[in-house]
Amino acid sequence: MGTAVDDVAAAEFHEFFERYHAELARLAYLLTGDPDAADDLAADALVAMWHQWDRVRAADHPGAYARGVVTNLARSRIRSLVRERRRIALFWGQRSERVDDPDVPAVLDVREALRRLPFRKRACVVLRHAFDLSEKETALTLGISVGTVKSQTSRGIAELEKLLGPANAVRVLGPPRGHGEAAAAAGHAGRRT
């Protein structure tokens, strides 16, 4: 039987879970492009936060802390998959992977284009545009400076524009926070149905 302190902590965590689980799964999905991995990463992040619940609930921005955990888990997963693919390619003697023609942006959807971005650029673009976080909130989540968020987001959008065409990138992603209806619409661009 738990103590009153344990019961309070469990209730606080339950509330935190209800508030952030869907958001964390969506973030993981947009970072990895894999719905099954997204659910696993969100669950792993929440388990890790439960094990460090005293630290999480004492944080100034528990949501940013949670997003940072998911982002780090996604980065580790992607690195692991890249290493695994390299080993397989070496084993089978295949030197190159299939690459879609970047000159045909009409056939690329946003998820494919996002997967082509380096991880930090992808994370900045997703957090700024799909999650409508401010530059400061994005910096807190990723543990980087606001200046880095600005440059990585700008470069990421430029790369997406090359892949999708300028009109499609802005239409699908929308402007970041503070730009009205387009920013709200951007939040729906990467959601799973």
Side-chain angles (χ1 to χ4, degrees), residues 101-185:
D101 185 0
D103 295 330
V104 188
V107 297
L108 295 175
D109 66 4
V110 173
R111 289 182 201 116
E112 180 61 29
L114 282 170
R115 277 193 285 263
R116 290 175 175 229
L117 293 180
F119 185 81
R120 185 175 282 180
K121 288 179 189 171
R122 181 184 334 154
C124 287
V125 168
V126 165
L127 290 169
R128 291 282 292 129
H129 290 274
F131 279 79
D132 200 27
L133 295 183
S134 69
E135 291 166 343
K136 183 178 178 182
E137 290 168 326
T138 302
L140 278 169
T141 297
L142 298 176
I144 58 179
S145 71
V146 171
T148 301
V149 169
K150 289 179 183 181
S151 67
Q152 292 294 297
T153 302
S154 175
R155 291 175 184 156
I157 291 296
E159 288 182 35
L160 287 176
E161 286 176 347
K162 286 180 185 175
L163 293 170
L164 298 170
N168 289 331
V170 172
R171 179 180 55 79
V172 174
L173 287 173
R177 172 182 277 205
H179 290 84
E181 292 177 17

